[in-house]
Every structure is written in structure tokens, then in C-alpha cells.
């Protein structure tokens, strides 16, 4: 199967050029820029003979029927949205490697037994809707709740209406969610977003499991005051309270960094009000994100943190409340898919390494529909979610070749 490295790399460069010009590389979900990228992708899907549709949850799907009737589809793909000022490969590599495989199969005159679906999952990255991520794969797997559909972004738009804006049918999401066991397999190629493969000069990673992620919104309440006329002892400074939370969380997570299933905790987003240079902050709203392969540790971290900081917050005269935004359990990748990837790599003469994914992926929701697996490629210095995200054309080529081989093996082996 002739996986064309130059064609794959040319598409990666073309898609990455569809970005907010002032903050490369940015294509935020639910924006006109995102739709520009979607239009480009849909045209590419059509050009290689795929039937293009958008499902109820807003996922873009390119489908080719199989040679045998009644078989479940093999899904491949990833996501075309980015974080703000993100990279050119996170998500895009998986989508365009899948497209390259579909085109190579066509050029080789190979018709798979199973239907093949390339899926651009909507809003894999944390969105403007209360930082909710994996929106399209939640919808496809029946995990998107009515409460989440009612989430609103700053301009008041609901997630329900935003899904309609990108061509989904939000009122049909529940009815059209796919059933458990409805897919033959899902395989995604992704950059590692870590340093293991590059440091060990290994071309392919076979993901063992995808980390569990819990996000909580913590609201610290104090009292807004004049910054000049309010003596220090009288202040109830919400941002100082937030600082204690951030510092304590950092120390507590650092102590768990070397566990067999390491835990990481991040306060990556904070909103302060009134957010003025001459006003004592009255409120700080923080998003706590906790990740680990150990679900109990992920669940307990926030509670432990709030309990341990309570006395300091009381002495500051501030209060804090935490409410869960989302919780996703760690997800094991399926042996059948991992074996197909390993067998393919061996046939290609490419070394592999089993490793867990510290990044979240749509596969955690797609695993509700059938067996999932992921192929990692190295990326420069493990950097991602930053414009410095980088990789070599040959690495992208290795990922696409492994994807193509794994898809063909799964097509032969699965009913
Ligand atoms: O946040 C993540 O782990 C993924 O890159 N969206
Ligand atoms: Mn990402
Ligand atoms: Mn990603």
C-alpha cells in the first residue's frame, strides 16, 4: 500500500495554514476558522471518493463501504480543532494519516471487507463551554448529557446551538448515539506529546491505556475592595486564596509524581474579578484538572486539596467551593488492536514501545462502542499544545504506514 510521505506532509502543511493569523496555530472549535478547516477536510474526503456527512453530534465523517454486507465499520481519525496557539500536528496527524490510508487503499485497488469511516471528532480540546472536551465523541457514544448541552459560553450561546452551528443536529444526539459494540475497531495516530519515544529513538508507540481526567471548577470568594484604601489585615483577597490552592495542589501532585501510576494536577485557567489593577480581587474562578491512570487518586485529589487548604482560606477570610465539570475514567486499549499495530510494525521493521497516554483522547469515549487502539509517533522535545510542536515527515510517514497496516490486519481478522 503506497503511503505517500510527500502528499501526507503537504496536506499537514495545507491544513495548518488554516489558522488565526495572529496566533498560529489556532483553529478553535465552533468558530468560522474551524469551519474553514472542516470545508477543506470535506473536500479532501470527497476527492478520494469518500461519502461525506456530519452526524448529529457534529462529527465530520468520510465513509467508504466495504465489500461485505453487514459488517461493522472500522473507524480511524482524530480531531481538527486546536488549543489556542497550539501545534500543527495534535489531531491533524491522525486525520491526515487516515486520509492518506484511504487514498492509498483506493490507489492500490484494495476494497476492505468492513466499511471504513474517517472521523473528525468535534471539539476534542477543552472548549469555551465550561472547558468541556471530547464533545463529538461524547455525543457519538451517548455520553453527552442534557446538562452539558445547556452549557453556555461567555457570549451566551449554548452548546446545543453551537453544535447546530457546525452542522450537527443536537436534538437528535440521544436518538442517534451509536450502540455499544457497533464498531469493529477504532485506531488513531497521534503525536506522543511526551518525550519517551524521541528520547529512546523509537519510531512508534503502542498505547496501553489513556489517562483518566477530572476537571473541577473552584470558586474562591472574598470581597472586592479599593487597593489603596484597604489595609492589609482587613482584606479578603480571593486571589491570595487561589494562590494558596495553586501552591498546595502543586506540592501535593509533586509528591505523587513518581507513583507507579503518576498523577498530575494543573490550574491552567483562572478568571479574576473585578480584575483591575486598583481593586482587591473579590472572586477567583479556577479550573482544576487532575490526571492519572489511577482513578481513585483522580477522584480524591480535589477533596483532599480543599480540606488541606481550608484553615488557610479561613484565616484569609475567604471561602472556596468546588464543583465537578467532567470526569473520565482511565481507558485500556484493546489487545486485538494493540496486537494488530505490533504485528504491522514488525512487518514494517519499525521498533515499538508500549506506553500509557498522559494526554486525553476521543478513544476514551469511542471505547464504549468497540475496541480502540492508538499509535504514537515521536514529536520534538515532547512539546505540544504550543507553536513549537514539531515532528519530521518521516515520523508522520511511519505513523501512517502503521495505521494502514493495522487497518488491513483488523479488516482481515475481525468479523
Ligand atoms: O488535553 C489533552 O490531553 C488532549 O491533548 N486534548
Ligand atoms: Mn491536544
Ligand atoms: Mn489531540
Amino acid at each position: 500500500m503506497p503511503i505517500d510521505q510527500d502528499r501526507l506532509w503537504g496536506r499537514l502543511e495545507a491544513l495548518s495554514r488554516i489558522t488565526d493569523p495572529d496566533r498560529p496555530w489556532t483553529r478553535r472549535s465552533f468558530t468560522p476558522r474551524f469551519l474553514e478547516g472542516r470545508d477543506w477536510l470535506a473536500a479532501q474526503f470527497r476527492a478520494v471518493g469518500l461519502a461525506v456527512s456530519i452526524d448529529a453530534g457534529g462529527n465530520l465523517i468520510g465513509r467508504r463501504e466495504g465489500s461485505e454486507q453487514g459488517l461493522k465499520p472500522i473507524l480511524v481519525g482524530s480531531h481538527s480543532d486546536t488549543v489556542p496557539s497550539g501545534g500543527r500536528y495534535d489531531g491533524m496527524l491522525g486525520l491526515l494519516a487516515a486520509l492518506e490510508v484511504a487514498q492509498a487503499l483506493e490507489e492500490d485497488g484494495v476494497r476492505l471487507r468492513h466499511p471504513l469511516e474517517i472521523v473528525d471528532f468535534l471539539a476534542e480540546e477543552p472548549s469555551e463551554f465550561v472547558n468541556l472536551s471530547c464533545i463529538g465523541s461524547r455525543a457519538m457514544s451517548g455520553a453527552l448529557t442534557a446538562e452539558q448541552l445547556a452549557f453556555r459560553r461567555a457570549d451566551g450561546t449554548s452548546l446545543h446551538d453551537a453544535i447546530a452551528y457546525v452542522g450537527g443536529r443536537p436534538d437528535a444526539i440521544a436518538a442517534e448515539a451509536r450502540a455499544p459494540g457497533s464498531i469493529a475497531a477504532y485506531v488513531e495516530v497521534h503525536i506522543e506529546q511526551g518525550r519517551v519515544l524521541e528520547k529512546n529513538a523509537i519510531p512508534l508507540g503502542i498505547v496501553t491505556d489513556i489517562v483518566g481526567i477530572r476537571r473541577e471548577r473552584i470558586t474562591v470568594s472574598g470581597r472586592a475592595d479599593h487597593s489603596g484604601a484597604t489595609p492589609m489585615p482587613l482584606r479578603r483577597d480571593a486571589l491570595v486564596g487561589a494562590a494558596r490552592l495553586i501552591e498546595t495542589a502543586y506540592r501535593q501532585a509533586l509528591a505523587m509524581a513518581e507513583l507507579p501510576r503518576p498523577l498530575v494536577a494543573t490550574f491552567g485557567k483562572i478568571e479574576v474579578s473585578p480584575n483591575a489593577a486598583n481593586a482587591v480581587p473579590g472572586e477567583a474562578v479556577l479550573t482544576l484538572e487532575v490526571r492519572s491512570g489511577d482513578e481513585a487518586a483522580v477522584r480524591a485529589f480535589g477533596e483532599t486539596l480543599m480540606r488541606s487548604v481550608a484553615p488557610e482560606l479561613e484565616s484569609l477570610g475567604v471561602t472556596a467551593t468546588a464543583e465537578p465539570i467532567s470526569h473520565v475514567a482511565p481507558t485500556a486499549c484493546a489487545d486485538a488492536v494493540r496486537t494488530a499495530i505490533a504485528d504491522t510494525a514488525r512487518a514494517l521493521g519499525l521498533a515499538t514501545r508500549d506506553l500509557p497516554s498522559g494526554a486525553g483522547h476521543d478513544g476514551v469515549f469511542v471505547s464504549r462502542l468497540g475496541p480502540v487502539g492508538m499509535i504514537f509517533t515521536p514529536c520534538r522535545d515532547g512539546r505540544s499544545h504550543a507553536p513549537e510542536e514539531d515532528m519530521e515527515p518521516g515520523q508522520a510517514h511511519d505513523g501512517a504506514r502503521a495505521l494502514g497496516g493495522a487497518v488491513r490486519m483488523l479488516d482481515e481478522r475481525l468479523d
Side-chain angles (χ1 to χ4, degrees), residues 228-259:
T230 311
M232 294 309 285
L234 298 184
R235 293 178 179 214
R236 293 168 51 199
D237 188 328
L239 196 49
V240 173
R244 298 286 162 81
L245 272 162
I246 294 165
E247 174 60 28
T248 306
Y250 176 77
R251 275 190 282 105
Q252 287 180 352
L254 204 55
M256 302 171 80
E258 304 306 324
L259 293 178

PDB file of all heavy atoms in Angstrom, residues 228-259:
ATOM      1  N   GLY A 228      -6.059  50.802  47.416  1.00  0.00           N
ATOM      2  CA  GLY A 228      -5.233  51.788  48.126  1.00  0.00           C
ATOM      3  C   GLY A 228      -5.727  52.052  49.538  1.00  0.00           C
ATOM      4  O   GLY A 228      -4.954  52.167  50.482  1.00  0.00           O
ATOM      5  N   ALA A 229      -7.060  52.023  49.666  1.00  0.00           N
ATOM      6  CA  ALA A 229      -7.634  52.463  50.948  1.00  0.00           C
ATOM      7  C   ALA A 229      -7.913  51.306  51.900  1.00  0.00           C
ATOM      8  O   ALA A 229      -8.387  51.514  53.004  1.00  0.00           O
ATOM      9  CB  ALA A 229      -8.946  53.198  50.642  1.00  0.00           C
ATOM     10  N   THR A 230      -7.634  50.068  51.472  1.00  0.00           N
ATOM     11  CA  THR A 230      -7.977  48.920  52.317  1.00  0.00           C
ATOM     12  C   THR A 230      -6.716  48.342  52.973  1.00  0.00           C
ATOM     13  O   THR A 230      -5.868  47.772  52.276  1.00  0.00           O
ATOM     14  CB  THR A 230      -8.666  47.819  51.468  1.00  0.00           C
ATOM     15  OG1 THR A 230      -9.700  48.415  50.693  1.00  0.00           O
ATOM     16  CG2 THR A 230      -9.243  46.731  52.368  1.00  0.00           C
ATOM     17  N   PRO A 231      -6.585  48.515  54.289  1.00  0.00           N
ATOM     18  CA  PRO A 231      -5.405  47.996  54.999  1.00  0.00           C
ATOM     19  C   PRO A 231      -5.286  46.480  54.819  1.00  0.00           C
ATOM     20  O   PRO A 231      -6.323  45.786  54.711  1.00  0.00           O
ATOM     21  CB  PRO A 231      -5.682  48.335  56.466  1.00  0.00           C
ATOM     22  CG  PRO A 231      -6.740  49.392  56.444  1.00  0.00           C
ATOM     23  CD  PRO A 231      -7.552  49.145  55.206  1.00  0.00           C
ATOM     24  N   MET A 232      -4.054  45.953  54.794  1.00  0.00           N
ATOM     25  CA  MET A 232      -3.851  44.530  54.537  1.00  0.00           C
ATOM     26  C   MET A 232      -4.650  43.637  55.487  1.00  0.00           C
ATOM     27  O   MET A 232      -5.290  42.689  55.070  1.00  0.00           O
ATOM     28  CB  MET A 232      -2.359  44.189  54.613  1.00  0.00           C
ATOM     29  CG  MET A 232      -1.522  44.842  53.495  1.00  0.00           C
ATOM     30  SD  MET A 232      -2.172  44.556  51.841  1.00  0.00           S
ATOM     31  CE  MET A 232      -1.709  42.849  51.598  1.00  0.00           C
ATOM     32  N   PRO A 233      -4.646  43.919  56.812  1.00  0.00           N
ATOM     33  CA  PRO A 233      -5.334  42.988  57.734  1.00  0.00           C
ATOM     34  C   PRO A 233      -6.842  42.916  57.501  1.00  0.00           C
ATOM     35  O   PRO A 233      -7.494  41.963  57.894  1.00  0.00           O
ATOM     36  CB  PRO A 233      -5.017  43.558  59.120  1.00  0.00           C
ATOM     37  CG  PRO A 233      -3.859  44.468  58.922  1.00  0.00           C
ATOM     38  CD  PRO A 233      -4.005  45.014  57.539  1.00  0.00           C
ATOM     39  N   LEU A 234      -7.404  43.950  56.781  1.00  0.00           N
ATOM     40  CA  LEU A 234      -8.872  43.942  56.614  1.00  0.00           C
ATOM     41  C   LEU A 234      -9.290  43.264  55.313  1.00  0.00           C
ATOM     42  O   LEU A 234     -10.470  43.128  55.008  1.00  0.00           O
ATOM     43  CB  LEU A 234      -9.396  45.383  56.635  1.00  0.00           C
ATOM     44  CG  LEU A 234      -9.151  46.178  57.933  1.00  0.00           C
ATOM     45  CD1 LEU A 234      -9.809  47.569  57.839  1.00  0.00           C
ATOM     46  CD2 LEU A 234      -9.710  45.405  59.136  1.00  0.00           C
ATOM     47  N   ARG A 235      -8.298  42.870  54.526  1.00  0.00           N
ATOM     48  CA  ARG A 235      -8.661  42.375  53.185  1.00  0.00           C
ATOM     49  C   ARG A 235      -9.198  40.942  53.216  1.00  0.00           C
ATOM     50  O   ARG A 235      -8.816  40.152  54.084  1.00  0.00           O
ATOM     51  CB  ARG A 235      -7.424  42.384  52.278  1.00  0.00           C
ATOM     52  CG  ARG A 235      -6.970  43.792  52.002  1.00  0.00           C
ATOM     53  CD  ARG A 235      -5.725  43.868  51.142  1.00  0.00           C
ATOM     54  NE  ARG A 235      -5.394  45.263  50.908  1.00  0.00           N
ATOM     55  CZ  ARG A 235      -4.855  45.706  49.763  1.00  0.00           C
ATOM     56  NH1 ARG A 235      -4.579  44.832  48.790  1.00  0.00           N
ATOM     57  NH2 ARG A 235      -4.597  46.975  49.610  1.00  0.00           N
ATOM     58  N   ARG A 236     -10.029  40.663  52.237  1.00  0.00           N
ATOM     59  CA  ARG A 236     -10.452  39.270  51.985  1.00  0.00           C
ATOM     60  C   ARG A 236     -10.151  39.000  50.497  1.00  0.00           C
ATOM     61  O   ARG A 236     -11.023  39.066  49.641  1.00  0.00           O
ATOM     62  CB  ARG A 236     -11.943  39.120  52.320  1.00  0.00           C
ATOM     63  CG  ARG A 236     -12.187  39.296  53.835  1.00  0.00           C
ATOM     64  CD  ARG A 236     -13.635  39.448  54.191  1.00  0.00           C
ATOM     65  NE  ARG A 236     -14.434  38.387  53.602  1.00  0.00           N
ATOM     66  CZ  ARG A 236     -15.764  38.477  53.451  1.00  0.00           C
ATOM     67  NH1 ARG A 236     -16.389  39.593  53.808  1.00  0.00           N
ATOM     68  NH2 ARG A 236     -16.451  37.500  52.920  1.00  0.00           N
ATOM     69  N   ASP A 237      -8.882  38.783  50.237  1.00  0.00           N
ATOM     70  CA  ASP A 237      -8.369  38.764  48.855  1.00  0.00           C
ATOM     71  C   ASP A 237      -8.518  37.367  48.237  1.00  0.00           C
ATOM     72  O   ASP A 237      -7.800  36.429  48.598  1.00  0.00           O
ATOM     73  CB  ASP A 237      -6.881  39.179  48.873  1.00  0.00           C
ATOM     74  CG  ASP A 237      -6.331  39.374  47.469  1.00  0.00           C
ATOM     75  OD1 ASP A 237      -6.792  38.661  46.560  1.00  0.00           O
ATOM     76  OD2 ASP A 237      -5.449  40.227  47.300  1.00  0.00           O
ATOM     77  N   ALA A 238      -9.447  37.252  47.302  1.00  0.00           N
ATOM     78  CA  ALA A 238      -9.750  35.929  46.705  1.00  0.00           C
ATOM     79  C   ALA A 238      -8.558  35.386  45.931  1.00  0.00           C
ATOM     80  O   ALA A 238      -8.347  34.166  45.878  1.00  0.00           O
ATOM     81  CB  ALA A 238     -10.960  36.058  45.783  1.00  0.00           C
ATOM     82  N   LEU A 239      -7.755  36.274  45.358  1.00  0.00           N
ATOM     83  CA  LEU A 239      -6.637  35.779  44.537  1.00  0.00           C
ATOM     84  C   LEU A 239      -5.518  35.220  45.411  1.00  0.00           C
ATOM     85  O   LEU A 239      -4.839  34.256  45.032  1.00  0.00           O
ATOM     86  CB  LEU A 239      -6.112  36.897  43.628  1.00  0.00           C
ATOM     87  CG  LEU A 239      -5.229  36.468  42.453  1.00  0.00           C
ATOM     88  CD1 LEU A 239      -5.850  35.323  41.654  1.00  0.00           C
ATOM     89  CD2 LEU A 239      -4.944  37.660  41.538  1.00  0.00           C
ATOM     90  N   VAL A 240      -5.363  35.757  46.611  1.00  0.00           N
ATOM     91  CA  VAL A 240      -4.376  35.188  47.546  1.00  0.00           C
ATOM     92  C   VAL A 240      -4.842  33.790  47.960  1.00  0.00           C
ATOM     93  O   VAL A 240      -4.062  32.838  48.037  1.00  0.00           O
ATOM     94  CB  VAL A 240      -4.182  36.113  48.774  1.00  0.00           C
ATOM     95  CG1 VAL A 240      -3.285  35.433  49.809  1.00  0.00           C
ATOM     96  CG2 VAL A 240      -3.591  37.453  48.347  1.00  0.00           C
ATOM     97  N   GLY A 241      -6.156  33.667  48.152  1.00  0.00           N
ATOM     98  CA  GLY A 241      -6.695  32.333  48.470  1.00  0.00           C
ATOM     99  C   GLY A 241      -6.439  31.369  47.315  1.00  0.00           C
ATOM    100  O   GLY A 241      -6.007  30.229  47.526  1.00  0.00           O
ATOM    101  N   ALA A 242      -6.638  31.858  46.097  1.00  0.00           N
ATOM    102  CA  ALA A 242      -6.389  31.000  44.917  1.00  0.00           C
ATOM    103  C   ALA A 242      -4.922  30.596  44.860  1.00  0.00           C
ATOM    104  O   ALA A 242      -4.589  29.453  44.548  1.00  0.00           O
ATOM    105  CB  ALA A 242      -6.787  31.764  43.656  1.00  0.00           C
ATOM    106  N   ALA A 243      -4.055  31.532  45.225  1.00  0.00           N
ATOM    107  CA  ALA A 243      -2.613  31.229  45.191  1.00  0.00           C
ATOM    108  C   ALA A 243      -2.274  30.097  46.165  1.00  0.00           C
ATOM    109  O   ALA A 243      -1.463  29.222  45.872  1.00  0.00           O
ATOM    110  CB  ALA A 243      -1.818  32.484  45.530  1.00  0.00           C
ATOM    111  N   ARG A 244      -2.915  30.113  47.332  1.00  0.00           N
ATOM    112  CA  ARG A 244      -2.675  29.029  48.311  1.00  0.00           C
ATOM    113  C   ARG A 244      -3.144  27.693  47.716  1.00  0.00           C
ATOM    114  O   ARG A 244      -2.468  26.660  47.856  1.00  0.00           O
ATOM    115  CB  ARG A 244      -3.432  29.311  49.604  1.00  0.00           C
ATOM    116  CG  ARG A 244      -3.025  30.560  50.305  1.00  0.00           C
ATOM    117  CD  ARG A 244      -1.652  30.458  51.016  1.00  0.00           C
ATOM    118  NE  ARG A 244      -1.109  31.773  51.325  1.00  0.00           N
ATOM    119  CZ  ARG A 244      -1.482  32.495  52.390  1.00  0.00           C
ATOM    120  NH1 ARG A 244      -2.399  32.024  53.210  1.00  0.00           N
ATOM    121  NH2 ARG A 244      -0.941  33.678  52.601  1.00  0.00           N
ATOM    122  N   LEU A 245      -4.281  27.712  47.051  1.00  0.00           N
ATOM    123  CA  LEU A 245      -4.794  26.475  46.427  1.00  0.00           C
ATOM    124  C   LEU A 245      -3.814  25.972  45.373  1.00  0.00           C
ATOM    125  O   LEU A 245      -3.453  24.799  45.333  1.00  0.00           O
ATOM    126  CB  LEU A 245      -6.143  26.756  45.736  1.00  0.00           C
ATOM    127  CG  LEU A 245      -7.400  26.636  46.570  1.00  0.00           C
ATOM    128  CD1 LEU A 245      -8.555  27.358  45.898  1.00  0.00           C
ATOM    129  CD2 LEU A 245      -7.743  25.155  46.795  1.00  0.00           C
ATOM    130  N   ILE A 246      -3.333  26.898  44.539  1.00  0.00           N
ATOM    131  CA  ILE A 246      -2.447  26.514  43.432  1.00  0.00           C
ATOM    132  C   ILE A 246      -1.146  25.931  43.969  1.00  0.00           C
ATOM    133  O   ILE A 246      -0.683  24.866  43.551  1.00  0.00           O
ATOM    134  CB  ILE A 246      -2.182  27.729  42.518  1.00  0.00           C
ATOM    135  CG1 ILE A 246      -3.480  28.157  41.814  1.00  0.00           C
ATOM    136  CG2 ILE A 246      -1.087  27.439  41.502  1.00  0.00           C
ATOM    137  CD1 ILE A 246      -3.430  29.527  41.173  1.00  0.00           C
ATOM    138  N   GLU A 247      -0.580  26.610  44.975  1.00  0.00           N
ATOM    139  CA  GLU A 247       0.702  26.159  45.543  1.00  0.00           C
ATOM    140  C   GLU A 247       0.543  24.787  46.218  1.00  0.00           C
ATOM    141  O   GLU A 247       1.339  23.867  46.042  1.00  0.00           O
ATOM    142  CB  GLU A 247       1.200  27.210  46.536  1.00  0.00           C
ATOM    143  CG  GLU A 247       2.442  26.821  47.312  1.00  0.00           C
ATOM    144  CD  GLU A 247       3.651  26.538  46.412  1.00  0.00           C
ATOM    145  OE1 GLU A 247       3.698  27.128  45.316  1.00  0.00           O
ATOM    146  OE2 GLU A 247       4.484  25.702  46.790  1.00  0.00           O
ATOM    147  N   THR A 248      -0.561  24.630  46.955  1.00  0.00           N
ATOM    148  CA  THR A 248      -0.785  23.364  47.683  1.00  0.00           C
ATOM    149  C   THR A 248      -1.012  22.217  46.698  1.00  0.00           C
ATOM    150  O   THR A 248      -0.454  21.132  46.847  1.00  0.00           O
ATOM    151  CB  THR A 248      -1.989  23.513  48.624  1.00  0.00           C
ATOM    152  OG1 THR A 248      -1.782  24.649  49.461  1.00  0.00           O
ATOM    153  CG2 THR A 248      -2.173  22.265  49.483  1.00  0.00           C
ATOM    154  N   ALA A 249      -1.794  22.501  45.652  1.00  0.00           N
ATOM    155  CA  ALA A 249      -2.062  21.462  44.639  1.00  0.00           C
ATOM    156  C   ALA A 249      -0.753  21.039  43.987  1.00  0.00           C
ATOM    157  O   ALA A 249      -0.483  19.853  43.781  1.00  0.00           O
ATOM    158  CB  ALA A 249      -3.035  21.992  43.592  1.00  0.00           C
ATOM    159  N   TYR A 250       0.092  22.021  43.691  1.00  0.00           N
ATOM    160  CA  TYR A 250       1.380  21.719  43.043  1.00  0.00           C
ATOM    161  C   TYR A 250       2.203  20.804  43.940  1.00  0.00           C
ATOM    162  O   TYR A 250       2.717  19.759  43.504  1.00  0.00           O
ATOM    163  CB  TYR A 250       2.128  23.036  42.772  1.00  0.00           C
ATOM    164  CG  TYR A 250       3.503  22.833  42.200  1.00  0.00           C
ATOM    165  CD1 TYR A 250       3.673  22.512  40.864  1.00  0.00           C
ATOM    166  CD2 TYR A 250       4.638  22.916  43.007  1.00  0.00           C
ATOM    167  CE1 TYR A 250       4.942  22.283  40.325  1.00  0.00           C
ATOM    168  CE2 TYR A 250       5.897  22.687  42.493  1.00  0.00           C
ATOM    169  CZ  TYR A 250       6.050  22.370  41.162  1.00  0.00           C
ATOM    170  OH  TYR A 250       7.295  22.127  40.646  1.00  0.00           O
ATOM    171  N   ARG A 251       2.293  21.163  45.227  1.00  0.00           N
ATOM    172  CA  ARG A 251       3.108  20.352  46.143  1.00  0.00           C
ATOM    173  C   ARG A 251       2.531  18.948  46.311  1.00  0.00           C
ATOM    174  O   ARG A 251       3.243  17.938  46.280  1.00  0.00           O
ATOM    175  CB  ARG A 251       3.231  21.057  47.493  1.00  0.00           C
ATOM    176  CG  ARG A 251       4.384  22.070  47.507  1.00  0.00           C
ATOM    177  CD  ARG A 251       4.670  22.602  48.913  1.00  0.00           C
ATOM    178  NE  ARG A 251       3.684  23.629  49.302  1.00  0.00           N
ATOM    179  CZ  ARG A 251       2.698  23.419  50.164  1.00  0.00           C
ATOM    180  NH1 ARG A 251       2.556  22.223  50.725  1.00  0.00           N
ATOM    181  NH2 ARG A 251       1.839  24.372  50.463  1.00  0.00           N
ATOM    182  N   GLN A 252       1.192  18.877  46.436  1.00  0.00           N
ATOM    183  CA  GLN A 252       0.569  17.552  46.643  1.00  0.00           C
ATOM    184  C   GLN A 252       0.747  16.667  45.401  1.00  0.00           C
ATOM    185  O   GLN A 252       1.009  15.474  45.494  1.00  0.00           O
ATOM    186  CB  GLN A 252      -0.917  17.716  46.986  1.00  0.00           C
ATOM    187  CG  GLN A 252      -1.133  18.255  48.412  1.00  0.00           C
ATOM    188  CD  GLN A 252      -2.611  18.429  48.778  1.00  0.00           C
ATOM    189  OE1 GLN A 252      -3.502  18.296  47.935  1.00  0.00           O
ATOM    190  NE2 GLN A 252      -2.869  18.750  50.034  1.00  0.00           N
ATOM    191  N   ALA A 253       0.638  17.274  44.213  1.00  0.00           N
ATOM    192  CA  ALA A 253       0.799  16.471  42.977  1.00  0.00           C
ATOM    193  C   ALA A 253       2.259  16.083  42.773  1.00  0.00           C
ATOM    194  O   ALA A 253       2.570  14.965  42.355  1.00  0.00           O
ATOM    195  CB  ALA A 253       0.285  17.269  41.785  1.00  0.00           C
ATOM    196  N   LEU A 254       3.171  16.981  43.147  1.00  0.00           N
ATOM    197  CA  LEU A 254       4.604  16.676  43.017  1.00  0.00           C
ATOM    198  C   LEU A 254       4.953  15.432  43.839  1.00  0.00           C
ATOM    199  O   LEU A 254       5.723  14.574  43.396  1.00  0.00           O
ATOM    200  CB  LEU A 254       5.411  17.885  43.504  1.00  0.00           C
ATOM    201  CG  LEU A 254       6.835  18.045  42.974  1.00  0.00           C
ATOM    202  CD1 LEU A 254       6.874  18.049  41.461  1.00  0.00           C
ATOM    203  CD2 LEU A 254       7.452  19.344  43.520  1.00  0.00           C
ATOM    204  N   ALA A 255       4.292  15.319  44.985  1.00  0.00           N
ATOM    205  CA  ALA A 255       4.559  14.171  45.876  1.00  0.00           C
ATOM    206  C   ALA A 255       4.018  12.878  45.264  1.00  0.00           C
ATOM    207  O   ALA A 255       4.377  11.781  45.681  1.00  0.00           O
ATOM    208  CB  ALA A 255       3.906  14.433  47.228  1.00  0.00           C
ATOM    209  N   MET A 256       3.154  13.003  44.246  1.00  0.00           N
ATOM    210  CA  MET A 256       2.556  11.798  43.624  1.00  0.00           C
ATOM    211  C   MET A 256       3.136  11.558  42.229  1.00  0.00           C
ATOM    212  O   MET A 256       2.664  10.712  41.479  1.00  0.00           O
ATOM    213  CB  MET A 256       1.032  11.970  43.546  1.00  0.00           C
ATOM    214  CG  MET A 256       0.385  12.197  44.916  1.00  0.00           C
ATOM    215  SD  MET A 256      -1.353  12.663  44.781  1.00  0.00           S
ATOM    216  CE  MET A 256      -2.095  11.067  44.501  1.00  0.00           C
ATOM    217  N   ALA A 257       4.185  12.310  41.892  1.00  0.00           N
ATOM    218  CA  ALA A 257       4.694  12.259  40.507  1.00  0.00           C
ATOM    219  C   ALA A 257       5.442  10.963  40.211  1.00  0.00           C
ATOM    220  O   ALA A 257       5.547  10.553  39.052  1.00  0.00           O
ATOM    221  CB  ALA A 257       5.606  13.459  40.249  1.00  0.00           C
ATOM    222  N   GLU A 258       5.975  10.321  41.233  1.00  0.00           N
ATOM    223  CA  GLU A 258       6.803   9.113  40.998  1.00  0.00           C
ATOM    224  C   GLU A 258       6.042   7.819  41.272  1.00  0.00           C
ATOM    225  O   GLU A 258       6.619   6.755  41.255  1.00  0.00           O
ATOM    226  CB  GLU A 258       8.063   9.168  41.879  1.00  0.00           C
ATOM    227  CG  GLU A 258       8.907  10.427  41.692  1.00  0.00           C
ATOM    228  CD  GLU A 258       9.300  10.655  40.223  1.00  0.00           C
ATOM    229  OE1 GLU A 258       9.552   9.661  39.508  1.00  0.00           O
ATOM    230  OE2 GLU A 258       9.270  11.817  39.787  1.00  0.00           O
ATOM    231  N   LEU A 259       4.735   7.929  41.529  1.00  0.00           N
ATOM    232  CA  LEU A 259       3.955   6.701  41.805  1.00  0.00           C
ATOM    233  C   LEU A 259       3.936   5.817  40.547  1.00  0.00           C
ATOM    234  O   LEU A 259       4.153   6.323  39.432  1.00  0.00           O
ATOM    235  CB  LEU A 259       2.519   7.083  42.182  1.00  0.00           C
ATOM    236  CG  LEU A 259       2.356   7.836  43.524  1.00  0.00           C
ATOM    237  CD1 LEU A 259       0.880   8.200  43.742  1.00  0.00           C
ATOM    238  CD2 LEU A 259       2.897   6.990  44.671  1.00  0.00           C
TER     239      LEU A 259
END
